Amino acid sequence: MQATVFAMLPAYIYARFSSLEQAKGHSLERQLEEGRAHIERNGWKYSESRELRDEGRSAFSGENRQPGSALYDFEQQAQTGAFKSGVVLVVENVDRLTRQGYEQAFDLLRQLTQNGVTVATTQDNQIYPAGDRIDMAKVMMVIIKAELALDESTKKSKRIKAVWKHKVNQAIAGSGQIVTPSIPAWLNIENGQIKTSSKRVAVLREIYDWYCAGHGLSAIVKKLNSRKEANWTAVRKAQASGWNTTYIHRLLTNRSVLGEFRPFAHSRTHLKDELAGTVIPDYFPAVVTAEQFNRVQGLLIQRQRTGGKSQHTQKNLFSGIARCSECQGVMYYQNGQRVGTPVRRSNGKSHIHRTARSYLKCNNARRNHNCSNKTAIRYEVLVNAILDTFLSAVADDDFFKTKPVVNRLREEVAEQERLKTLKETQLSTVVENLVEAHSKALAQKAAQLERDVEELDAALSVLRDKLKVEEGTATPEQVAKVLKNAREALDSDDPEISYAARLKVHQVFQGLFSRITCFPDGETAAFVDGLAVWCFDKEGNMSGGQMI
């Protein structure tokens, strides 16, 4: 009888399940079929476009009501008055909407009904009319069912957490047990063991080698797509779109290549918080060395600081690091004379340029914008001066023995470790005193010291990661070898060889120098970690500097 009052109203169906594992069953289709039948029995208007689905979204955690979910969008429409003319929301039971207790359930029902939404449940055939006060009997029924659903979800959550914690602890202990079938794309599970895919591992190592050689993310994407290399996504639409820079960056920063497994690092469940920071080493087969991984992390930081990707020409080896001393603006690369360019003289005879002549000029001064430094620095002279000086300096055992940034980070780690040890000693003393004589003040002091130790531990973790990255970068001897080989190829007639050489030299300059400063008198200064190590006059001769 009551249903006839709402006859011909447009009806929505809401269907949801919590775990993506449930997608293998028939939960979603069952809810939809029951909803369609319920709509037909009550004479409401059905449309497939009004079927709302939240797959793999928990009502216990409230994820199904967060931005991005179908229910969240429906609630937002209701609150803006989109359903004032009246609609019906058909759902299997109230616990499909929320399993967070009777307060949430009752508030949600009241919010929907006050905004023109009649809620109908198929399992118990109840209707909560829009605009009507929910009677006491129904309120009590909602409370009882909501609390039962909450209790059931809480118990289930505890069981699941216990199972997962046991699996993770077993894996930490080295049992070899597979915690989850979800593994990186370059691995497979065969006969209960995690194995590498030789073809994909080869591609992954190519990507790391290319990035270390100076190729940017876009260049790597072009290489892979040009040779029709199939990408690794499981989604067919994404497979068709090929490789992209976002995925390449993810591969270059994924510590799984070292064999590390971080349980629930990307999970949206409560276990994410409980297992935060847990790392299981050697869980996966390592496919990249720690040295190469740290090298890549250092390069990612460098390129982020100096402007990122290289242009295919990469003419200016100082791009991103050469600055004007007067305005701190970037130095503009100007190509004045190319090798092999024919020039006709005034007497009618032609001349072929045998040397290149390029210049660095302050870009602000060039545009007459707040800078008077109009000096032109001979580009080729500066490149040769820096290369010659570096290659001779490497022969000195005391020069660049340890990078200043490494020394500084080591000092910071040592100081943080000292402070942590001090706090832990203080905490141990306070706890001993607390055992002998309980005191509110001592309890508060112990709690504060625990927080201090946790903060110092977190800071130490960050510093140690930075130190690993810096220590993983190339040594001066390794850099010298790269520069010697690259220098000979810089002016090669083969554009590919020349380009590869410029990429390598540019990469070295980015990693070595914090900046190159150009002065109005034609002098330049090369800075490493904030200290001027070399100064050159306009002819490229050493004019000063400070050894570090």
Side-chain angles (χ1 to χ4, degrees):
M1 182 73 178
Q2 191 180 36
T4 59
V5 178
F6 309 104
M8 300 308 293
L9 282 179
Y12 288 77
I13 303 174
Y14 178 69
R16 179 198 63 78
F17 57 78
S18 301
S19 169
L20 288 176
E21 194 67 23
Q22 292 175 279
K24 299 174 183 178
H26 305 285
S27 175
L28 194 73
E29 192 55 43
R30 187 199 71 244
Q31 293 175 55
L32 292 172
E33 286 178 359
E34 290 176 356
R36 294 169 194 141
H38 202 68
I39 289 172
E40 186 177 356
R41 281 195 301 271
N42 287 279
W44 299 322
K45 293 180 182 178
Y46 166 77
S47 172
E48 188 177 349
S49 64
R50 291 195 290 268
E51 291 184 351
L52 312 177
R53 309 171 188 225
D54 275 330
E55 302 179 39
R57 291 183 178 270
S58 169
F60 178 54
S61 67
E63 187 188 352
N64 69 317
R65 296 184 63 190
Q66 293 174 1
S69 69
L71 185 56
Y72 174 86
D73 293 339
F74 185 84
E75 286 186 62
Q76 294 301 303
Q77 291 182 65
Q79 290 174 18
T80 57
F83 304 135
K84 286 297 183 184
S85 299
V87 297
V88 178
L89 178 63
V90 178
V91 63
E92 184 179 54
N93 214 332
V94 174
D95 64 7
R96 288 293 171 187
L97 302 174
T98 178
R99 297 177 73 94
Q100 293 185 302
Y102 73 88
E103 298 100 330
Q104 293 275 4
F106 185 71
D107 287 347
L108 177 55
L109 277 177
R110 188 168 57 177
Q111 171 196 305
L112 292 172
T113 55
Q114 287 178 349
N115 285 288
V117 180
T118 293
V119 179
T121 55
T122 61
Q123 196 172 75
D124 55 6
N125 197 30
Q126 292 293 319
I127 292 180
Y128 303 88
D132 285 5
R133 181 172 179 267
I134 303 176
D135 64 54
M136 185 56 67
K138 287 184 177 179
V139 169
M140 293 303 296
M141 189 59 67
V142 168
I143 290 174
I144 293 170
K145 288 188 175 182
E147 286 304 292
L148 287 173
L150 175 61
D151 184 59
E152 179 189 344
S153 291
T154 302
K155 290 178 180 177
K156 183 179 178 182
S157 175
K158 287 180 179 178
R159 287 195 300 270
I160 291 173
K161 285 181 183 179
V163 169
W164 278 108
K165 280 185 179 179
H166 177 72
K167 284 185 176 181
V168 170
N169 288 334
Q170 289 289 96
I172 292 172
S175 68
Q177 180 180 356
I178 296 177
V179 175
T180 169
S182 178
I183 58 174
W186 57 90
L187 302 173
N188 297 313
I189 295 178
E190 299 175 10
N191 300 320
Q193 291 186 316
I194 300 175
K195 302 288 187 179
T196 58
S197 166
S198 56
K199 185 177 186 306
R200 289 192 173 187
V201 167
V203 173
L204 182 66
R205 288 172 178 164
E206 269 190 308
I207 291 170
Y208 271 78
D209 289 341
W210 285 336
Y211 197 79
C212 286
H215 297 280
L217 302 182
S218 296
I220 292 173
V221 166
K222 288 179 181 177
K223 280 176 171 289
L224 293 170
N225 287 334
S226 295
R227 74 185 196 192
K228 307 297 183 186
E229 187 71 51
N231 69 354
W232 301 343
T233 178
V235 182
R236 186 168 296 178
K237 185 177 180 181
Q239 283 179 337
S241 64
W243 294 82
N244 58 70
T245 56
T246 300
Y247 192 73
I248 297 297
H249 185 272
R250 194 181 306 158
L251 291 177
L252 292 173
T253 55
N254 190 343
R255 296 186 68 87
S256 297
V257 299
L258 300 174
E260 293 181 8
F261 174 48
R262 296 169 184 256
F264 296 94
H266 306 290
S267 172
R268 294 174 291 192
T269 70
H270 296 300
L271 278 170
K272 177 181 179 180
D273 298 326
E274 294 190 24
L275 295 174
T278 301
V279 179
I280 304 176
D282 303 322
Y283 176 81
F284 300 121
V287 293
V288 171
T289 66
E291 290 77 15
Q292 188 172 36
F293 183 82
N294 288 332
R295 174 66 175 154
V296 166
Q297 305 322 298
L299 291 173
L300 285 166
I301 294 170
Q302 289 171 14
R303 292 175 188 178
Q304 186 179 35
R305 183 181 70 239
T306 56
K309 61 184 180 180
S310 305
Q311 298 299 319
H312 185 66
T313 55
Q314 193 55 68
K315 290 292 186 184
N316 183 10
L317 300 179
F318 302 113
S319 65
I321 51 177
R323 297 280 173 173
C324 171
S325 66
E326 305 303 292
C327 67
Q328 306 306 312
V330 298
M331 297 298 289
Y332 173 80
Y333 173 83
Q334 184 176 51
N335 198 340
Q337 175 179 300
R338 292 188 179 91
V339 176
T341 304
V343 176
R344 186 173 294 277
R345 292 176 174 172
S346 56
N347 60 7
K349 296 181 178 181
S350 62
H351 170 72
I352 303 295
H353 286 313
R354 298 187 181 276
T355 59
R357 283 184 175 271
S358 306
Y359 302 91
L360 293 177
K361 296 180 178 179
C362 174
N363 195 41
N364 286 333
R366 186 178 69 91
R367 298 183 295 114
N368 294 323
H369 178 66
N370 298 330
C371 188
S372 59
N373 183 10
K374 298 199 180 277
T375 301
I377 306 291
R378 272 292 308 277
Y379 173 78
E380 289 79 16
V381 170
L382 182 58
V383 168
N384 289 328
I386 287 181
L387 288 174
D388 289 340
T389 305
F390 179 81
L391 292 174
S392 63
V394 169
D396 186 343
D397 290 338
D398 294 326
F399 192 77
F400 285 159
K401 191 171 184 180
T402 305
K403 294 199 304 180
V405 67
V406 172
N407 280 332
R408 190 182 69 245
L409 284 169
R410 285 175 179 170
E411 290 171 3
E412 289 181 22
V413 167
E415 177 61 15
Q416 292 290 87
E417 286 176 339
R418 185 189 69 81
L419 290 174
K420 183 186 173 188
T421 300
L422 178 62
K423 294 287 185 182
E424 286 175 334
T425 303
Q426 291 175 343
L427 177 60
S428 178
T429 303
V430 170
V431 170
E432 286 177 7
N433 293 334
L434 193 59
V435 170
E436 292 179 4
H438 182 75
S439 161
K440 184 178 179 181
L442 282 176
Q444 291 175 340
K445 179 67 174 175
Q448 181 59 52
L449 286 169
E450 282 183 343
R451 288 193 292 271
D452 291 345
V453 169
E454 288 176 359
E455 289 174 3
L456 286 167
D457 200 42
L460 261 173
S461 179
V462 173
L463 284 172
R464 284 169 179 155
D465 284 345
K466 288 182 179 179
L467 181 58
K468 284 180 184 177
V469 169
E470 292 297 339
E471 287 178 332
T473 56
T475 64
E477 291 76 13
Q478 291 170 326
V479 172
K481 184 178 180 180
V482 170
L483 288 182
K484 283 179 182 177
N485 295 334
R487 187 175 187 181
E488 298 174 1
L490 280 174
D491 298 318
S492 171
D493 293 333
D494 187 325
E496 287 299 320
I497 294 176
S498 176
Y499 169 60
R502 288 195 300 273
L503 276 178
K504 290 177 181 177
V505 175
H506 182 234
Q507 179 178 300
V508 170
F509 283 178
Q510 281 184 316
L512 181 62
F513 300 115
S514 50
R515 71 178 186 279
I516 304 287
T517 301
C518 303
F519 297 90
D521 60 1
E523 289 205 349
T524 54
F527 289 81
V528 174
D529 201 28
L531 297 175
V533 291
W534 301 316
C535 294
F536 304 98
D537 63 20
K538 58 185 178 182
E539 303 300 327
N541 301 312
M542 187 81 113
S543 61
Q546 176 183 356
M547 291 297 185
I548 58 173

